[in-house]
PDB file of all heavy atoms in Angstrom:
ATOM      1  N   ALA A  54       3.416  21.626 -18.078  1.00  0.00           N
ATOM      2  CA  ALA A  54       3.758  20.759 -19.205  1.00  0.00           C
ATOM      3  C   ALA A  54       4.207  21.536 -20.424  1.00  0.00           C
ATOM      4  O   ALA A  54       3.542  22.473 -20.857  1.00  0.00           O
ATOM      5  CB  ALA A  54       2.540  19.897 -19.559  1.00  0.00           C
ATOM      6  N   GLY A  55       5.330  21.112 -20.985  1.00  0.00           N
ATOM      7  CA  GLY A  55       5.759  21.598 -22.286  1.00  0.00           C
ATOM      8  C   GLY A  55       4.851  20.994 -23.345  1.00  0.00           C
ATOM      9  O   GLY A  55       3.926  20.245 -23.019  1.00  0.00           O
ATOM     10  N   PRO A  56       5.090  21.307 -24.630  1.00  0.00           N
ATOM     11  CA  PRO A  56       4.206  20.815 -25.693  1.00  0.00           C
ATOM     12  C   PRO A  56       4.302  19.303 -25.901  1.00  0.00           C
ATOM     13  O   PRO A  56       5.226  18.818 -26.541  1.00  0.00           O
ATOM     14  CB  PRO A  56       4.678  21.583 -26.927  1.00  0.00           C
ATOM     15  CG  PRO A  56       5.966  22.218 -26.577  1.00  0.00           C
ATOM     16  CD  PRO A  56       6.145  22.200 -25.115  1.00  0.00           C
ATOM     17  N   VAL A  57       3.346  18.569 -25.330  1.00  0.00           N
ATOM     18  CA  VAL A  57       3.243  17.111 -25.521  1.00  0.00           C
ATOM     19  C   VAL A  57       1.769  16.763 -25.697  1.00  0.00           C
ATOM     20  O   VAL A  57       0.914  17.390 -25.098  1.00  0.00           O
ATOM     21  CB  VAL A  57       3.821  16.299 -24.333  1.00  0.00           C
ATOM     22  CG1 VAL A  57       5.328  16.343 -24.323  1.00  0.00           C
ATOM     23  CG2 VAL A  57       3.269  16.769 -22.999  1.00  0.00           C
ATOM     24  N   PRO A  58       1.489  15.740 -26.514  1.00  0.00           N
ATOM     25  CA  PRO A  58       0.085  15.387 -26.780  1.00  0.00           C
ATOM     26  C   PRO A  58      -0.509  14.428 -25.743  1.00  0.00           C
ATOM     27  O   PRO A  58      -1.453  13.719 -26.042  1.00  0.00           O
ATOM     28  CB  PRO A  58       0.172  14.728 -28.162  1.00  0.00           C
ATOM     29  CG  PRO A  58       1.530  14.118 -28.200  1.00  0.00           C
ATOM     30  CD  PRO A  58       2.432  14.978 -27.355  1.00  0.00           C
ATOM     31  N   LEU A  59       0.013  14.380 -24.530  1.00  0.00           N
ATOM     32  CA  LEU A  59      -0.475  13.422 -23.535  1.00  0.00           C
ATOM     33  C   LEU A  59      -1.744  13.936 -22.857  1.00  0.00           C
ATOM     34  O   LEU A  59      -1.900  15.139 -22.651  1.00  0.00           O
ATOM     35  CB  LEU A  59       0.601  13.190 -22.462  1.00  0.00           C
ATOM     36  CG  LEU A  59       1.917  12.588 -22.950  1.00  0.00           C
ATOM     37  CD1 LEU A  59       2.939  12.561 -21.806  1.00  0.00           C
ATOM     38  CD2 LEU A  59       1.682  11.176 -23.468  1.00  0.00           C
ATOM     39  N   PRO A  60      -2.663  13.001 -22.473  1.00  0.00           N
ATOM     40  CA  PRO A  60      -3.862  13.420 -21.748  1.00  0.00           C
ATOM     41  C   PRO A  60      -3.516  13.877 -20.333  1.00  0.00           C
ATOM     42  O   PRO A  60      -2.537  13.414 -19.753  1.00  0.00           O
ATOM     43  CB  PRO A  60      -4.713  12.147 -21.712  1.00  0.00           C
ATOM     44  CG  PRO A  60      -3.756  11.022 -21.910  1.00  0.00           C
ATOM     45  CD  PRO A  60      -2.611  11.552 -22.715  1.00  0.00           C
ATOM     46  N   THR A  61      -4.325  14.786 -19.804  1.00  0.00           N
ATOM     47  CA  THR A  61      -4.095  15.294 -18.447  1.00  0.00           C
ATOM     48  C   THR A  61      -4.480  14.215 -17.429  1.00  0.00           C
ATOM     49  O   THR A  61      -5.591  13.696 -17.474  1.00  0.00           O
ATOM     50  CB  THR A  61      -4.953  16.549 -18.206  1.00  0.00           C
ATOM     51  OG1 THR A  61      -4.647  17.489 -19.243  1.00  0.00           O
ATOM     52  CG2 THR A  61      -4.666  17.175 -16.850  1.00  0.00           C
ATOM     53  N   PRO A  62      -3.570  13.873 -16.508  1.00  0.00           N
ATOM     54  CA  PRO A  62      -3.906  12.862 -15.495  1.00  0.00           C
ATOM     55  C   PRO A  62      -5.075  13.325 -14.620  1.00  0.00           C
ATOM     56  O   PRO A  62      -5.249  14.528 -14.409  1.00  0.00           O
ATOM     57  CB  PRO A  62      -2.623  12.757 -14.661  1.00  0.00           C
ATOM     58  CG  PRO A  62      -1.543  13.360 -15.492  1.00  0.00           C
ATOM     59  CD  PRO A  62      -2.189  14.370 -16.377  1.00  0.00           C
ATOM     60  N   ALA A  63      -5.854  12.358 -14.119  1.00  0.00           N
ATOM     61  CA  ALA A  63      -7.014  12.675 -13.285  1.00  0.00           C
ATOM     62  C   ALA A  63      -6.592  13.453 -12.050  1.00  0.00           C
ATOM     63  O   ALA A  63      -5.543  13.168 -11.460  1.00  0.00           O
ATOM     64  CB  ALA A  63      -7.701  11.377 -12.869  1.00  0.00           C
ATOM     65  N   ALA A  64      -7.389  14.448 -11.689  1.00  0.00           N
ATOM     66  CA  ALA A  64      -7.215  15.222 -10.453  1.00  0.00           C
ATOM     67  C   ALA A  64      -5.902  16.012 -10.403  1.00  0.00           C
ATOM     68  O   ALA A  64      -5.382  16.297  -9.331  1.00  0.00           O
ATOM     69  CB  ALA A  64      -7.329  14.313  -9.233  1.00  0.00           C
ATOM     70  N   VAL A  65      -5.355  16.332 -11.586  1.00  0.00           N
ATOM     71  CA  VAL A  65      -4.115  17.120 -11.662  1.00  0.00           C
ATOM     72  C   VAL A  65      -4.436  18.465 -12.306  1.00  0.00           C
ATOM     73  O   VAL A  65      -5.183  18.519 -13.283  1.00  0.00           O
ATOM     74  CB  VAL A  65      -3.057  16.360 -12.496  1.00  0.00           C
ATOM     75  CG1 VAL A  65      -1.925  17.272 -12.945  1.00  0.00           C
ATOM     76  CG2 VAL A  65      -2.504  15.171 -11.714  1.00  0.00           C
ATOM     77  N   THR A  66      -3.888  19.554 -11.763  1.00  0.00           N
ATOM     78  CA  THR A  66      -4.023  20.865 -12.396  1.00  0.00           C
ATOM     79  C   THR A  66      -2.894  21.017 -13.403  1.00  0.00           C
ATOM     80  O   THR A  66      -1.723  20.968 -13.026  1.00  0.00           O
ATOM     81  CB  THR A  66      -3.910  21.989 -11.340  1.00  0.00           C
ATOM     82  OG1 THR A  66      -4.910  21.767 -10.356  1.00  0.00           O
ATOM     83  CG2 THR A  66      -4.088  23.359 -11.968  1.00  0.00           C
ATOM     84  N   ARG A  67      -3.262  21.154 -14.675  1.00  0.00           N
ATOM     85  CA  ARG A  67      -2.237  21.215 -15.730  1.00  0.00           C
ATOM     86  C   ARG A  67      -2.121  22.627 -16.282  1.00  0.00           C
ATOM     87  O   ARG A  67      -3.125  23.260 -16.589  1.00  0.00           O
ATOM     88  CB  ARG A  67      -2.621  20.265 -16.858  1.00  0.00           C
ATOM     89  CG  ARG A  67      -1.710  20.364 -18.089  1.00  0.00           C
ATOM     90  CD  ARG A  67      -2.154  19.337 -19.086  1.00  0.00           C
ATOM     91  NE  ARG A  67      -1.336  19.296 -20.282  1.00  0.00           N
ATOM     92  CZ  ARG A  67      -1.404  18.308 -21.165  1.00  0.00           C
ATOM     93  NH1 ARG A  67      -2.244  17.298 -20.963  1.00  0.00           N
ATOM     94  NH2 ARG A  67      -0.645  18.308 -22.240  1.00  0.00           N
ATOM     95  N   ILE A  68      -0.886  23.088 -16.412  1.00  0.00           N
ATOM     96  CA  ILE A  68      -0.638  24.384 -17.049  1.00  0.00           C
ATOM     97  C   ILE A  68       0.277  24.128 -18.243  1.00  0.00           C
ATOM     98  O   ILE A  68       1.394  23.631 -18.075  1.00  0.00           O
ATOM     99  CB  ILE A  68       0.006  25.366 -16.040  1.00  0.00           C
ATOM    100  CG1 ILE A  68      -0.935  25.592 -14.849  1.00  0.00           C
ATOM    101  CG2 ILE A  68       0.362  26.695 -16.713  1.00  0.00           C
ATOM    102  CD1 ILE A  68      -0.308  26.278 -13.666  1.00  0.00           C
ATOM    103  N   ASP A  69      -0.203  24.417 -19.439  1.00  0.00           N
ATOM    104  CA  ASP A  69       0.587  24.188 -20.646  1.00  0.00           C
ATOM    105  C   ASP A  69       1.457  25.399 -20.967  1.00  0.00           C
ATOM    106  O   ASP A  69       0.976  26.529 -20.949  1.00  0.00           O
ATOM    107  CB  ASP A  69      -0.337  23.900 -21.835  1.00  0.00           C
ATOM    108  CG  ASP A  69      -0.914  22.495 -21.781  1.00  0.00           C
ATOM    109  OD1 ASP A  69      -0.136  21.552 -21.527  1.00  0.00           O
ATOM    110  OD2 ASP A  69      -2.131  22.343 -21.966  1.00  0.00           O
ATOM    111  N   VAL A  70       2.719  25.126 -21.259  1.00  0.00           N
ATOM    112  CA  VAL A  70       3.642  26.190 -21.660  1.00  0.00           C
ATOM    113  C   VAL A  70       4.389  25.735 -22.907  1.00  0.00           C
ATOM    114  O   VAL A  70       4.317  24.566 -23.287  1.00  0.00           O
ATOM    115  CB  VAL A  70       4.644  26.515 -20.528  1.00  0.00           C
ATOM    116  CG1 VAL A  70       3.933  27.038 -19.283  1.00  0.00           C
ATOM    117  CG2 VAL A  70       5.507  25.304 -20.174  1.00  0.00           C
TER     118      VAL A  70
END
Side-chain angles (χ1 to χ4, degrees):
V57 286
L59 298 174
T61 305
V65 163
T66 303
R67 173 177 182 167
I68 299 167
D69 285 314
V70 297

